[in-house]
Protein backbone atom coordinates (compact mmCIF):
# COMPACT_ATOMS: atom_id res chain seq x y z
CA UNK A 1 0.00 0.00 0.00
CA UNK A 2 1.44 3.39 1.00
CA UNK A 3 1.01 6.71 -0.74
CA UNK A 4 3.81 8.49 -2.57
CA UNK A 5 4.25 11.99 -3.89
CA UNK A 6 7.01 13.97 -5.58
CA UNK A 7 7.15 17.69 -6.37
CA UNK A 8 9.42 19.87 -8.47
CA UNK A 9 7.95 23.20 -7.39
CA UNK A 10 8.48 26.93 -7.48
CA UNK A 11 7.76 27.44 -3.79
CA UNK A 12 8.67 25.73 -0.52
CA UNK A 13 7.80 22.12 -1.01
CA UNK A 14 7.54 20.48 2.44
CA UNK A 15 4.06 21.87 3.34
CA UNK A 16 2.82 20.92 -0.13
CA UNK A 17 4.13 17.38 0.27
CA UNK A 18 2.25 17.12 3.56
CA UNK A 19 -0.89 18.51 1.92
CA UNK A 20 -0.67 15.83 -0.78
CA UNK A 21 0.04 13.12 1.82
CA UNK A 22 -3.12 14.12 3.75
CA UNK A 23 -5.08 13.00 0.71
CA UNK A 24 -3.13 9.74 0.58
CA UNK A 25 -3.38 8.82 4.24
CA UNK A 26 -6.21 6.42 3.32
CA UNK A 27 -3.44 4.23 1.86
CA UNK A 28 -1.70 3.76 5.19
CA UNK A 29 -0.88 5.63 8.37
CA UNK A 30 1.91 3.70 10.11
CA UNK A 31 4.51 6.43 9.50
CA UNK A 32 5.14 9.38 7.20
CA UNK A 33 8.17 11.21 5.88
CA UNK A 34 9.54 13.70 3.39
CA UNK A 35 12.94 14.34 1.79
CA UNK A 36 13.79 17.68 0.18
CA UNK A 37 16.83 19.20 -1.44
CA UNK A 38 18.40 22.12 0.40
CA UNK A 39 21.37 23.60 -1.44
CA UNK A 40 21.61 20.34 -3.35
CA UNK A 41 21.75 18.22 -0.16
CA UNK A 42 19.14 15.61 0.84
CA UNK A 43 17.38 16.45 4.10
CA UNK A 44 14.70 14.26 5.68
CA UNK A 45 12.01 14.37 8.34
CA UNK A 46 10.33 11.09 9.26
CA UNK A 47 7.91 10.23 12.06
CA UNK A 48 6.22 7.07 13.25
CA UNK A 49 2.39 7.11 13.37
CA UNK A 50 -0.09 9.35 11.65
CA UNK A 51 0.73 12.23 9.38
CA UNK A 52 -0.02 14.78 12.10
CA UNK A 53 3.20 13.64 13.84
CA UNK A 54 5.22 14.52 10.73
CA UNK A 55 3.36 17.81 10.41
CA UNK A 56 4.28 18.67 14.00
CA UNK A 57 7.92 17.69 13.40
CA UNK A 58 8.06 19.97 10.37
CA UNK A 59 6.65 22.80 12.44
CA UNK A 60 9.37 22.32 15.03
CA UNK A 61 12.11 21.87 12.43
CA UNK A 62 10.94 23.28 9.09
CA UNK A 63 12.59 22.31 5.80
CA UNK A 64 13.09 24.84 3.04
CA UNK A 65 13.66 23.68 -0.58
CA UNK A 66 11.52 23.41 -3.68
CA UNK A 67 12.17 19.80 -4.78
CA UNK A 68 11.05 16.86 -2.68
CA UNK A 69 9.37 13.49 -2.24
CA UNK A 70 7.00 12.26 0.47
CA UNK A 71 5.45 9.04 1.75
CA UNK A 72 2.72 7.74 4.02
CA UNK A 73 3.27 4.11 4.97
CA UNK A 74 1.39 0.89 5.56
CA UNK A 75 4.11 -1.39 6.89
CA UNK A 76 5.05 -4.51 4.93
CA UNK A 77 8.79 -5.24 5.33
CA UNK A 78 9.83 -3.94 8.74
CA UNK A 79 7.59 -2.80 11.58
CA UNK A 80 6.08 0.68 11.82
CA UNK A 81 8.91 2.81 13.20
CA UNK A 82 10.81 5.98 12.34
CA UNK A 83 13.80 3.88 11.26
CA UNK A 84 11.66 2.05 8.71
CA UNK A 85 9.79 5.17 7.57
CA UNK A 86 10.35 6.40 4.01
CA UNK A 87 12.06 8.18 2.30
CA UNK A 88 15.06 5.87 2.44
CA UNK A 89 18.39 7.39 1.62
CA UNK A 90 21.64 5.86 0.37
CA UNK A 91 24.42 8.25 -0.60
CA UNK A 92 23.01 10.62 -3.23
CA UNK A 93 19.66 8.84 -3.63
CA UNK A 94 16.38 9.22 -1.74
CA UNK A 95 13.45 6.97 -2.62
CA UNK A 96 9.81 6.46 -1.67
CA UNK A 97 8.03 3.23 -2.54
CA UNK A 98 4.55 1.76 -2.64
CA UNK A 99 4.51 -2.02 -3.07
CA UNK A 100 6.69 -4.98 -2.18
CA UNK A 101 10.07 -5.93 -3.62
CA UNK A 102 9.90 -9.71 -3.49
CA UNK A 103 13.58 -10.51 -4.18
CA UNK A 104 14.63 -8.25 -1.34
CA UNK A 105 16.77 -10.87 0.44
CA UNK A 106 18.80 -11.46 -2.72
CA UNK A 107 19.23 -7.68 -3.16
CA UNK A 108 20.20 -7.26 0.46
CA UNK A 109 22.95 -9.87 0.05
CA UNK A 110 24.12 -8.03 -3.06
CA UNK A 111 24.36 -4.59 -1.48
CA UNK A 112 26.39 -6.09 1.36
CA UNK A 113 28.96 -7.27 -1.20
CA UNK A 114 29.77 -3.66 -2.03
CA UNK A 115 29.93 -2.65 1.62
CA UNK A 116 26.54 -0.97 2.02
CA UNK A 117 25.02 -1.35 5.48
CA UNK A 118 21.21 -1.21 5.63
CA UNK A 119 19.80 1.12 8.27
CA UNK A 120 16.28 -0.25 8.15
CA UNK A 121 14.44 -3.56 7.84
CA UNK A 122 12.72 -2.50 4.64
CA UNK A 123 12.85 -3.85 1.12
CA UNK A 124 12.79 -0.28 -0.20
CA UNK A 125 16.17 0.69 1.19
CA UNK A 126 17.81 -1.89 -1.10
CA UNK A 127 16.56 0.06 -4.10
CA UNK A 128 18.22 3.25 -2.83
CA UNK A 129 21.52 1.40 -2.34
CA UNK A 130 21.41 -0.26 -5.75
CA UNK A 131 20.75 3.02 -7.56
CA UNK A 132 23.38 4.84 -5.52
CA UNK A 133 25.89 2.13 -6.40
CA UNK A 134 25.27 2.79 -10.09
CA UNK A 135 25.90 6.52 -9.50
CA UNK A 136 29.15 5.66 -7.76
CA UNK A 137 30.11 3.63 -10.82
CA UNK A 138 29.69 6.77 -12.91
CA UNK A 139 26.19 6.37 -14.28
CA UNK A 140 23.79 9.31 -14.59
CA UNK A 141 20.62 9.17 -12.45
CA UNK A 142 18.47 8.05 -15.38
CA UNK A 143 21.01 5.39 -16.42
CA UNK A 144 21.21 4.19 -12.83
CA UNK A 145 17.43 3.84 -12.47
CA UNK A 146 17.13 2.14 -15.86
CA UNK A 147 19.79 -0.34 -14.76
CA UNK A 148 18.12 -1.19 -11.46
CA UNK A 149 14.40 -1.35 -12.38
CA UNK A 150 14.53 -4.67 -14.29
CA UNK A 151 16.19 -6.26 -11.28
CA UNK A 152 13.26 -5.54 -8.96
CA UNK A 153 10.70 -8.36 -8.66
CA UNK A 154 7.27 -7.72 -7.23
CA UNK A 155 5.09 -4.65 -7.28
CA UNK A 156 6.20 -1.09 -7.01
CA UNK A 157 5.60 2.56 -7.60
CA UNK A 158 8.80 4.47 -6.88
CA UNK A 159 9.85 8.11 -6.84
CA UNK A 160 13.54 9.09 -6.67
CA UNK A 161 15.16 12.37 -5.66
CA UNK A 162 18.91 12.88 -6.21
CA UNK A 163 21.37 15.04 -4.27
CA UNK A 164 22.70 17.85 -6.46
CA UNK A 165 19.80 17.51 -8.96
CA UNK A 166 17.38 20.33 -8.14
CA UNK A 167 15.46 19.89 -11.37
CA UNK A 168 15.02 16.13 -11.55
CA UNK A 169 12.59 13.49 -10.27
CA UNK A 170 12.41 9.95 -11.59
CA UNK A 171 9.41 7.68 -11.03
CA UNK A 172 8.49 4.15 -12.07
CA UNK A 173 5.52 1.84 -11.82
CA UNK A 174 4.95 -1.88 -12.02
CA UNK A 175 1.89 -3.27 -10.30
CA UNK A 176 1.23 -0.16 -8.18
CA UNK A 177 -0.28 3.03 -9.58
CA UNK A 178 1.63 6.24 -10.32
CA UNK A 179 0.42 9.43 -11.96
CA UNK A 180 2.33 12.41 -13.37
CA UNK A 181 0.84 15.85 -12.71
CA UNK A 182 1.59 18.75 -15.08
CA UNK A 183 1.73 22.24 -13.54
CA UNK A 184 2.87 25.64 -14.76
CA UNK A 185 6.63 25.45 -14.43
CA UNK A 186 6.12 22.65 -11.90
CA UNK A 187 5.85 18.89 -12.18
CA UNK A 188 4.52 16.19 -9.85
CA UNK A 189 4.33 12.48 -9.12
CA UNK A 190 1.49 11.05 -7.05
CA UNK A 191 -0.05 7.68 -6.25
CA UNK A 192 -3.30 9.08 -7.59
CA UNK A 193 -4.95 12.22 -8.92
CA UNK A 194 -6.45 12.96 -5.49
CA UNK A 195 -2.96 13.55 -4.06
CA UNK A 196 -2.20 16.04 -6.81
CA UNK A 197 -5.59 17.77 -6.81
CA UNK A 198 -4.40 20.89 -4.90
CA UNK A 199 -1.71 21.49 -7.55
CA UNK A 200 -3.09 20.44 -10.92
CA UNK A 201 -5.89 18.64 -12.71
CA UNK A 202 -3.69 17.76 -15.71
CA UNK A 203 -2.78 14.12 -15.19
CA UNK A 204 -0.91 11.44 -17.12
CA UNK A 205 -1.28 7.90 -15.80
CA UNK A 206 1.82 5.77 -16.23
CA UNK A 207 1.15 2.32 -17.63
CA UNK A 208 2.49 -1.03 -16.41
CA UNK A 209 6.30 -1.06 -16.57
CA UNK A 210 6.60 2.65 -17.44
CA UNK A 211 9.14 4.95 -15.87
CA UNK A 212 9.32 8.71 -16.20
CA UNK A 213 11.91 11.46 -15.94
CA UNK A 214 10.56 14.84 -14.82
CA UNK A 215 12.05 18.30 -14.85
CA UNK A 216 10.05 21.47 -14.14
CA UNK A 217 9.51 21.92 -17.87
CA UNK A 218 9.51 18.41 -19.32
CA UNK A 219 8.27 14.84 -18.99
CA UNK A 220 9.89 11.90 -20.71
CA UNK A 221 8.21 8.51 -20.39
CA UNK A 222 9.79 5.14 -21.21
CA UNK A 223 8.24 1.70 -21.31
CA UNK A 224 9.64 -1.43 -19.67
CA UNK A 225 11.97 -1.94 -22.66
CA UNK A 226 13.28 1.64 -22.20
CA UNK A 227 11.68 2.81 -25.45
CA UNK A 228 10.31 6.39 -25.32
CA UNK A 229 6.49 6.35 -25.27
CA UNK A 230 3.70 8.90 -25.25
CA UNK A 231 0.95 8.60 -22.67
CA UNK A 232 -2.16 10.72 -22.90
CA UNK A 233 -2.74 13.68 -20.60
CA UNK A 234 -6.25 13.89 -19.17
CA UNK A 235 -8.23 16.31 -17.00
CA UNK A 236 -9.02 14.90 -13.59
CA UNK A 237 -12.43 15.66 -12.11
CA UNK A 238 -11.21 15.09 -8.55
CA UNK A 239 -11.87 18.10 -6.35
CA UNK A 240 -9.07 19.69 -4.34
CA UNK A 241 -11.22 20.32 -1.28
CA UNK A 242 -10.28 18.08 1.61
CA UNK A 243 -13.38 16.29 2.78
CA UNK A 244 -14.70 17.40 6.12
CA UNK A 245 -16.86 15.61 8.68
CA UNK A 246 -19.57 18.24 8.76
CA UNK A 247 -21.39 17.95 12.08
CA UNK A 248 -20.41 14.34 12.58
CA UNK A 249 -17.86 13.02 15.02
CA UNK A 250 -16.35 10.64 12.49
CA UNK A 251 -16.25 10.26 8.71
CA UNK A 252 -17.82 6.84 9.16
CA UNK A 253 -20.89 8.33 10.86
CA UNK A 254 -21.20 10.91 8.09
CA UNK A 255 -20.84 8.24 5.43
CA UNK A 256 -23.46 6.01 7.06
CA UNK A 257 -25.89 8.95 7.09
CA UNK A 258 -25.14 9.91 3.49
CA UNK A 259 -26.54 6.60 2.26
CA UNK A 260 -30.11 7.67 1.41
CA UNK A 261 -28.67 10.40 -0.82
CA UNK A 262 -25.86 8.47 -2.52
CA UNK A 263 -28.07 5.42 -3.05
CA UNK A 264 -30.48 7.76 -4.82
CA UNK A 265 -27.70 9.14 -7.01
CA UNK A 266 -26.42 5.67 -7.85
CA UNK A 267 -29.82 4.18 -8.63
CA UNK A 268 -30.81 7.11 -10.78
CA UNK A 269 -27.85 6.39 -13.06
CA UNK A 270 -29.07 2.84 -13.73
CA UNK A 271 -32.86 3.02 -13.52
CA UNK A 272 -35.43 4.57 -15.83
CA UNK A 273 -37.78 5.65 -13.04
CA UNK A 274 -40.63 6.66 -15.35
CA UNK A 275 -40.66 3.36 -17.22
CA UNK A 276 -39.85 1.30 -14.05
CA UNK A 277 -37.08 -0.40 -16.01
CA UNK A 278 -33.44 -1.18 -15.49
CA UNK A 279 -31.41 0.94 -17.89
CA UNK A 280 -27.74 0.21 -17.27
CA UNK A 281 -25.47 2.08 -19.73
CA UNK A 282 -22.99 -0.29 -21.37
CA UNK A 283 -24.76 -3.48 -20.28
CA UNK A 284 -24.40 -4.88 -23.83
CA UNK A 285 -20.68 -5.45 -23.08
CA UNK A 286 -21.69 -8.17 -20.63
CA UNK A 287 -23.37 -10.33 -23.29
CA UNK A 288 -25.89 -11.59 -20.72
CA UNK A 289 -27.89 -13.29 -23.48
CA UNK A 290 -24.92 -15.46 -24.46
CA UNK A 291 -22.95 -16.33 -21.35
CA UNK A 292 -23.40 -19.49 -19.30
CA UNK A 293 -21.89 -18.18 -16.10
CA UNK A 294 -20.80 -14.92 -14.53
CA UNK A 295 -17.42 -14.61 -12.82
CA UNK A 296 -17.21 -12.25 -9.85
CA UNK A 297 -14.13 -11.45 -7.80
CA UNK A 298 -13.26 -8.82 -5.19
CA UNK A 299 -11.82 -8.43 -1.70
CA UNK A 300 -13.24 -7.79 1.77
CA UNK A 301 -16.54 -5.95 1.90
CA UNK A 302 -16.61 -5.64 -1.91
CA UNK A 303 -16.40 -9.45 -2.10
CA UNK A 304 -19.35 -9.63 0.29
CA UNK A 305 -21.30 -7.38 -2.10
CA UNK A 306 -20.43 -9.93 -4.81
CA UNK A 307 -21.74 -12.77 -2.63
CA UNK A 308 -25.10 -11.01 -2.30
CA UNK A 309 -25.09 -10.49 -6.07
CA UNK A 310 -24.61 -14.23 -6.60
CA UNK A 311 -28.00 -14.83 -4.97
CA UNK A 312 -29.57 -12.16 -7.19
CA UNK A 313 -28.04 -13.25 -10.51
CA UNK A 314 -28.88 -16.89 -9.87
CA UNK A 315 -32.44 -16.15 -8.76
CA UNK A 316 -33.48 -13.41 -11.15
CA UNK A 317 -31.36 -14.16 -14.24
CA UNK A 318 -30.86 -17.93 -13.72
CA UNK A 319 -27.19 -17.23 -14.34
CA UNK A 320 -24.69 -19.35 -12.37
CA UNK A 321 -22.11 -17.22 -10.58
CA UNK A 322 -18.54 -18.26 -9.92
CA UNK A 323 -17.26 -16.06 -7.09
CA UNK A 324 -14.07 -16.03 -5.06
CA UNK A 325 -11.96 -13.64 -3.07
CA UNK A 326 -9.46 -12.13 -5.47
CA UNK A 327 -6.39 -13.25 -3.51
CA UNK A 328 -7.43 -16.87 -4.17
CA UNK A 329 -8.95 -16.40 -7.60
CA UNK A 330 -5.77 -14.97 -9.08
CA UNK A 331 -3.68 -18.05 -8.28
CA UNK A 332 -6.02 -20.99 -8.60
CA UNK A 333 -5.86 -21.21 -12.40
CA UNK A 334 -9.63 -21.11 -12.82
CA UNK A 335 -10.54 -22.02 -16.40
CA UNK A 336 -11.73 -18.84 -18.12
CA UNK A 337 -12.50 -18.79 -21.82
CA UNK A 338 -13.06 -16.38 -24.67
CA UNK A 339 -16.35 -14.54 -24.55
CA UNK A 340 -16.99 -14.97 -20.83
CA UNK A 341 -17.90 -11.98 -18.69
CA UNK A 342 -16.09 -11.26 -15.43
CA UNK A 343 -17.14 -8.60 -12.94
CA UNK A 344 -14.78 -6.98 -10.44
CA UNK A 345 -16.04 -4.94 -7.51
CA UNK A 346 -13.88 -2.34 -5.78
CA UNK A 347 -14.46 0.96 -4.02
CA UNK A 348 -10.94 2.23 -4.64
CA UNK A 349 -10.37 0.53 -7.98
CA UNK A 350 -6.77 -0.05 -6.88
CA UNK A 351 -6.91 -3.26 -4.82
CA UNK A 352 -3.92 -5.31 -5.96
CA UNK A 353 -5.51 -8.77 -5.84
CA UNK A 354 -8.68 -7.61 -7.57
CA UNK A 355 -6.63 -5.96 -10.29
CA UNK A 356 -4.52 -9.11 -10.77
CA UNK A 357 -7.67 -11.24 -11.06
CA UNK A 358 -9.04 -8.79 -13.63
CA UNK A 359 -5.86 -9.08 -15.66
CA UNK A 360 -5.95 -12.88 -15.44
CA UNK A 361 -9.48 -12.94 -16.87
CA UNK A 362 -8.58 -10.41 -19.55
CA UNK A 363 -5.55 -12.41 -20.66
CA UNK A 364 -7.81 -15.44 -20.96
CA UNK A 365 -10.21 -13.66 -23.28
CA UNK A 366 -13.00 -12.60 -20.92
CA UNK A 367 -14.73 -9.23 -21.21
CA UNK A 368 -14.31 -7.19 -18.09
CA UNK A 369 -16.88 -5.25 -16.10
CA UNK A 370 -16.02 -3.17 -13.03
CA UNK A 371 -18.23 -1.86 -10.27
CA UNK A 372 -15.97 0.90 -8.91
CA UNK A 373 -16.38 4.13 -7.00
CA UNK A 374 -13.30 5.93 -8.32
CA UNK A 375 -13.65 6.40 -12.09
CA UNK A 376 -9.98 7.35 -12.61
CA UNK A 377 -8.74 4.18 -10.88
CA UNK A 378 -6.66 1.47 -12.53
CA UNK A 379 -9.46 -1.11 -12.38
CA UNK A 380 -11.86 1.34 -14.04
CA UNK A 381 -9.31 2.16 -16.72
CA UNK A 382 -8.59 -1.49 -17.51
CA UNK A 383 -12.24 -2.62 -17.66
CA UNK A 384 -14.27 -2.86 -20.86
CA UNK A 385 -17.30 -1.46 -19.10
CA UNK A 386 -17.54 0.47 -15.83
CA UNK A 387 -20.65 0.52 -13.65
CA UNK A 388 -19.71 3.36 -11.35
CA UNK A 389 -21.10 3.67 -7.85
CA UNK A 390 -21.90 7.30 -7.13
CA UNK A 391 -21.05 7.10 -3.45
CA UNK A 392 -18.69 10.09 -3.50
CA UNK A 393 -15.34 9.95 -1.69
CA UNK A 394 -15.33 7.42 1.15
CA UNK A 395 -12.79 8.47 3.77
CA UNK A 396 -13.56 6.17 6.72
CA UNK A 397 -11.41 3.08 6.27
CA UNK A 398 -14.37 0.74 6.79
CA UNK A 399 -16.54 0.59 3.72
CA UNK A 400 -20.15 1.68 4.35
CA UNK A 401 -21.80 3.79 1.65
CA UNK A 402 -19.60 2.24 -1.05
CA UNK A 403 -20.91 -1.21 -0.05
CA UNK A 404 -24.60 -0.32 -0.25
CA UNK A 405 -24.04 1.52 -3.54
CA UNK A 406 -22.27 -1.58 -4.90
CA UNK A 407 -25.32 -3.61 -3.86
CA UNK A 408 -27.63 -1.12 -5.57
CA UNK A 409 -25.74 -1.35 -8.87
CA UNK A 410 -25.53 -5.14 -8.69
CA UNK A 411 -29.25 -5.49 -7.95
CA UNK A 412 -30.19 -3.43 -11.03
CA UNK A 413 -27.66 -5.35 -13.16
CA UNK A 414 -29.14 -8.68 -12.04
CA UNK A 415 -32.66 -7.52 -12.86
CA UNK A 416 -31.66 -6.27 -16.30
CA UNK A 417 -29.75 -9.52 -16.91
CA UNK A 418 -32.97 -11.35 -16.03
CA UNK A 419 -34.90 -9.36 -18.62
CA UNK A 420 -32.22 -9.91 -21.26
CA UNK A 421 -32.16 -13.65 -20.58
CA UNK A 422 -35.93 -13.87 -20.56
CA UNK A 423 -36.16 -15.12 -16.99
CA UNK A 424 -38.05 -12.05 -15.76
CA UNK A 425 -41.20 -10.67 -17.36
CA UNK A 426 -41.73 -6.94 -17.89
CA UNK A 427 -44.14 -6.98 -14.92
CA UNK A 428 -41.61 -8.68 -12.66
CA UNK A 429 -38.97 -6.18 -13.75
CA UNK A 430 -41.32 -3.28 -13.00
CA UNK A 431 -42.07 -4.67 -9.57
CA UNK A 432 -38.39 -5.25 -8.68
CA UNK A 433 -37.29 -1.87 -10.04
CA UNK A 434 -40.22 -0.24 -8.24
CA UNK A 435 -38.91 -1.77 -5.01
CA UNK A 436 -35.38 -0.52 -5.68
CA UNK A 437 -36.73 2.97 -6.38
CA UNK A 438 -37.89 3.10 -2.76
CA UNK A 439 -34.43 2.30 -1.37
CA UNK A 440 -33.48 5.88 -0.34
CA UNK A 441 -36.74 6.22 1.61
CA UNK A 442 -36.25 2.86 3.35
CA UNK A 443 -32.69 3.87 4.20
CA UNK A 444 -33.98 7.03 5.93
CA UNK A 445 -36.32 4.87 8.02
CA UNK A 446 -33.56 2.40 8.87
CA UNK A 447 -31.30 5.20 10.11
CA UNK A 448 -34.01 6.15 12.60
CA UNK A 449 -33.14 2.95 14.48
CA UNK A 450 -29.80 4.45 15.48
CA UNK A 451 -30.88 5.25 19.05
CA UNK A 452 -31.84 1.60 19.68
CA UNK A 453 -28.63 0.40 18.09
CA UNK A 454 -26.52 2.79 20.15
CA UNK A 455 -28.09 1.51 23.35
CA UNK A 456 -27.44 -2.14 22.62
CA UNK A 457 -23.91 -1.44 21.35
CA UNK A 458 -23.07 -0.17 24.83
CA UNK A 459 -23.55 -3.66 26.27
CA UNK A 460 -21.83 -5.29 23.30
CA UNK A 461 -18.73 -3.24 23.96
CA UNK A 462 -18.09 -5.52 26.94
CA UNK A 463 -18.04 -8.73 24.87
CA UNK A 464 -14.89 -10.39 23.58
CA UNK A 465 -16.58 -12.55 20.92
CA UNK A 466 -19.73 -12.31 18.84
CA UNK A 467 -21.56 -14.28 16.18
CA UNK A 468 -23.64 -13.07 13.25
CA UNK A 469 -26.14 -15.42 11.62
CA UNK A 470 -28.23 -15.12 8.46
CA UNK A 471 -29.69 -17.15 5.60
CA UNK A 472 -29.92 -16.38 1.90
CA UNK A 473 -28.74 -12.85 1.12
CA UNK A 474 -28.55 -12.29 4.88
CA UNK A 475 -25.71 -14.78 5.13
CA UNK A 476 -23.26 -12.45 3.32
CA UNK A 477 -24.59 -9.67 5.56
CA UNK A 478 -23.71 -11.81 8.58
CA UNK A 479 -20.16 -12.01 7.19
CA UNK A 480 -20.17 -8.24 6.75
CA UNK A 481 -21.43 -7.69 10.32
CA UNK A 482 -18.61 -9.82 11.69
CA UNK A 483 -15.98 -8.18 9.48
CA UNK A 484 -17.07 -4.70 10.55
CA UNK A 485 -17.09 -5.60 14.23
CA UNK A 486 -13.60 -7.06 14.01
CA UNK A 487 -12.02 -4.23 12.09
CA UNK A 488 -13.59 -1.37 14.04
CA UNK A 489 -13.93 -2.56 17.62
CA UNK A 490 -11.33 -5.37 17.59
CA UNK A 491 -13.97 -7.75 18.99
CA UNK A 492 -13.52 -11.22 17.57
CA UNK A 493 -16.62 -12.02 15.51
CA UNK A 494 -17.68 -14.67 13.00
CA UNK A 495 -20.45 -14.69 10.44
CA UNK A 496 -22.22 -17.96 9.68
CA UNK A 497 -24.98 -19.25 7.47
CA UNK A 498 -27.64 -19.82 10.14
CA UNK A 499 -28.10 -23.45 9.09
CA UNK A 500 -24.39 -24.16 9.59
CA UNK A 501 -24.49 -23.31 13.26
CA UNK A 502 -25.17 -26.80 14.46
CA UNK A 503 -22.26 -28.16 12.42
CA UNK A 504 -19.72 -26.75 14.82
CA UNK A 505 -19.98 -23.14 15.98
CA UNK A 506 -22.92 -23.86 18.30
CA UNK A 507 -20.27 -25.20 20.70
CA UNK A 508 -19.23 -21.59 21.28
CA UNK A 509 -22.62 -20.49 22.58
CA UNK A 510 -22.90 -19.56 26.24
CA UNK A 511 -24.42 -16.67 28.18
CA UNK A 512 -21.49 -14.41 27.31
CA UNK A 513 -21.83 -14.78 23.56
CA UNK A 514 -23.85 -12.08 21.77
CA UNK A 515 -25.49 -13.56 18.66
CA UNK A 516 -26.87 -11.21 16.02
CA UNK A 517 -29.54 -12.81 13.88
CA UNK A 518 -30.43 -11.01 10.63
CA UNK A 519 -33.88 -12.22 9.65
CA UNK A 520 -36.39 -10.09 7.79
CA UNK A 521 -39.81 -11.75 7.58
CA UNK A 522 -39.18 -13.36 4.20
CA UNK A 523 -39.65 -16.83 2.71
CA UNK A 524 -36.90 -18.33 4.88
CA UNK A 525 -37.64 -16.42 8.09
CA UNK A 526 -39.05 -19.47 9.87
CA UNK A 527 -35.89 -21.48 9.19
CA UNK A 528 -33.65 -18.78 10.63
CA UNK A 529 -35.88 -18.44 13.68
CA UNK A 530 -35.50 -22.19 14.32
CA UNK A 531 -31.74 -21.68 14.39
CA UNK A 532 -32.26 -18.76 16.75
CA UNK A 533 -34.20 -21.05 19.10
CA UNK A 534 -31.21 -23.40 19.14
CA UNK A 535 -29.04 -20.52 20.32
CA UNK A 536 -31.62 -19.43 22.92
CA UNK A 537 -31.82 -22.97 24.28
CA UNK A 538 -28.10 -22.75 25.02
CA UNK A 539 -28.27 -19.43 26.77
CA UNK A 540 -26.87 -17.21 23.95
CA UNK A 541 -27.64 -13.45 24.10
CA UNK A 542 -29.69 -12.85 20.96
CA UNK A 543 -30.06 -9.58 19.09
CA UNK A 544 -32.65 -10.05 16.35
CA UNK A 545 -32.64 -7.65 13.41
CA UNK A 546 -35.98 -8.03 11.68
CA UNK A 547 -39.15 -6.17 10.68
CA UNK A 548 -42.37 -5.65 12.66
CA UNK A 549 -43.88 -8.95 11.50
CA UNK A 550 -40.66 -10.83 12.30
CA UNK A 551 -40.50 -9.18 15.72
CA UNK A 552 -44.08 -10.15 16.51
CA UNK A 553 -43.55 -13.78 15.46
CA UNK A 554 -40.29 -14.20 17.33
CA UNK A 555 -42.06 -13.94 20.70
CA UNK A 556 -39.63 -13.29 23.52
CA UNK A 557 -36.77 -15.46 22.25
CA UNK A 558 -34.51 -12.52 21.49
CA UNK A 559 -33.22 -10.36 24.32
CA UNK A 560 -33.03 -7.37 21.98
CA UNK A 561 -34.85 -6.66 18.74
CA UNK A 562 -33.97 -3.99 16.19
CA UNK A 563 -37.11 -3.36 14.17
CA UNK A 564 -36.48 -2.41 10.58
CA UNK A 565 -38.95 -1.06 8.04
CA UNK A 566 -40.94 -3.63 6.09
CA UNK A 567 -39.06 -3.99 2.80
CA UNK A 568 -39.33 -6.14 -0.35
CA UNK A 569 -36.90 -9.07 -0.52
CA UNK A 570 -34.59 -7.59 -3.17
CA UNK A 571 -34.10 -4.46 -1.08
CA UNK A 572 -33.44 -6.20 2.24
CA UNK A 573 -29.65 -6.69 1.96
CA UNK A 574 -29.17 -3.01 1.15
CA UNK A 575 -31.32 -1.78 4.02
CA UNK A 576 -30.22 -4.36 6.60
CA UNK A 577 -26.61 -3.34 5.96
CA UNK A 578 -27.36 -0.09 7.83
CA UNK A 579 -28.01 -1.50 11.32
CA UNK A 580 -25.01 -3.79 10.82
CA UNK A 581 -22.84 -0.74 10.13
CA UNK A 582 -24.33 1.23 13.01
CA UNK A 583 -23.75 -1.63 15.47
CA UNK A 584 -20.04 -1.79 14.66
CA UNK A 585 -19.73 2.00 14.60
CA UNK A 586 -21.31 2.58 18.01
CA UNK A 587 -19.54 -0.39 19.59
CA UNK A 588 -16.23 1.02 18.39
CA UNK A 589 -17.12 4.49 19.71
CA UNK A 590 -17.92 3.02 23.13
CA UNK A 591 -14.66 1.11 23.11
CA UNK A 592 -12.74 4.24 22.15
CA UNK A 593 -11.00 2.78 19.10
CA UNK A 594 -9.91 4.91 16.15
CA UNK A 595 -13.08 4.53 14.11
CA UNK A 596 -11.95 6.19 10.89
CA UNK A 597 -8.45 4.73 10.91
CA UNK A 598 -8.53 1.40 12.77
CA UNK A 599 -5.18 -0.09 13.70
CA UNK A 600 -3.18 -2.02 11.09
CA UNK A 601 -5.56 -1.19 8.24
CA UNK A 602 -5.50 0.98 5.15
CA UNK A 603 -8.29 2.07 2.88
CA UNK A 604 -6.68 1.02 -0.35
CA UNK A 605 -4.82 -2.31 -0.34
CA UNK A 606 -2.37 -1.99 -3.19
CA UNK A 607 -0.15 -4.89 -2.16
CA UNK A 608 -1.10 -8.55 -2.31
C1 LIG B 1 -13.91 -3.37 5.05
C2 LIG B 1 -13.27 -2.80 3.86
C3 LIG B 1 -12.38 -3.67 3.06
C4 LIG B 1 -12.48 -3.35 1.57
C5 LIG B 1 -11.46 -4.17 0.78
C6 LIG B 1 -11.59 -3.95 -0.71
O1 LIG B 1 -14.74 -2.44 5.69
O2 LIG B 1 -13.44 -1.65 3.56
O3 LIG B 1 -12.61 -5.02 3.31
O4 LIG B 1 -13.78 -3.64 1.14
O5 LIG B 1 -10.18 -3.81 1.20
O6 LIG B 1 -11.35 -2.62 -1.05
P1 LIG B 1 -11.82 -2.04 -2.44
O7 LIG B 1 -13.31 -2.03 -2.43
O8 LIG B 1 -11.24 -0.66 -2.50
O9 LIG B 1 -11.29 -2.95 -3.50
Amino acid sequence: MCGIVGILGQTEVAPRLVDALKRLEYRGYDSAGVAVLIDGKLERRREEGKLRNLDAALERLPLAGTSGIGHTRWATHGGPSTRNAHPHVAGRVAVVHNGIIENYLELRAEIETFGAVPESDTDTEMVAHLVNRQLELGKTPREAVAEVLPRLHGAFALAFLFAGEEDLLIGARKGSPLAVGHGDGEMFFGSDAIALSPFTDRITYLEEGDWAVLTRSSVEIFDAANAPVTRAESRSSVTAALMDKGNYRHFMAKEIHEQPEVLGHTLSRYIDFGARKAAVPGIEHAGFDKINRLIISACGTAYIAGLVAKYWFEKYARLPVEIDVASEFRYRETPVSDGEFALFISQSGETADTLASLRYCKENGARIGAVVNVPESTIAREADVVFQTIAGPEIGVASTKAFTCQLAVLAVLAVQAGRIRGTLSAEQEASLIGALTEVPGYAVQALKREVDVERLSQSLAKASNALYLGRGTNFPLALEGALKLKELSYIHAEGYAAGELKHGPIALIDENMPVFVIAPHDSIYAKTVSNMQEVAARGGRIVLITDAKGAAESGDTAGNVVVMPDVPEIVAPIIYALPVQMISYHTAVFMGTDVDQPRNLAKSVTVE
Side-chain angles (χ1 to χ4, degrees), residues 2 4 71 73-74 76-78 84-90 93-102 104 107-108 111 118 120-131 148 152 155-160:
C2 311
I4 68 177
H71 188 267
R73 178 166 191 248
W74 185 81
T76 54
H77 281 268
N84 288 331
H86 300 215
H88 290 286
V89 170
V93 180
V95 66
V96 285
H97 169 216
N98 165 29
I100 294 180
I101 310 291
E102 286 169 358
Y104 127 95
L107 300 177
R108 190 180 174 106
I111 68 154
S120 73
D121 309 317
T122 67
D123 49 349
T124 310
E125 192 190 341
M126 307 310 131
V127 182
H129 284 291
L130 289 173
V131 173
V148 169
L152 308 179
F156 52 80
L158 295 160
F160 296 94

Side-chain angles (χ1 to χ4, degrees), residues 464-484:
S464 341
N465 298 288
L467 281 182
Y468 264 94
L469 304 178
R471 273 179 187 263
T473 50
N474 301 306
F475 162 48
L477 270 194
L479 297 176
E480 174 63 1
L483 173 62
K484 284 279 170 293

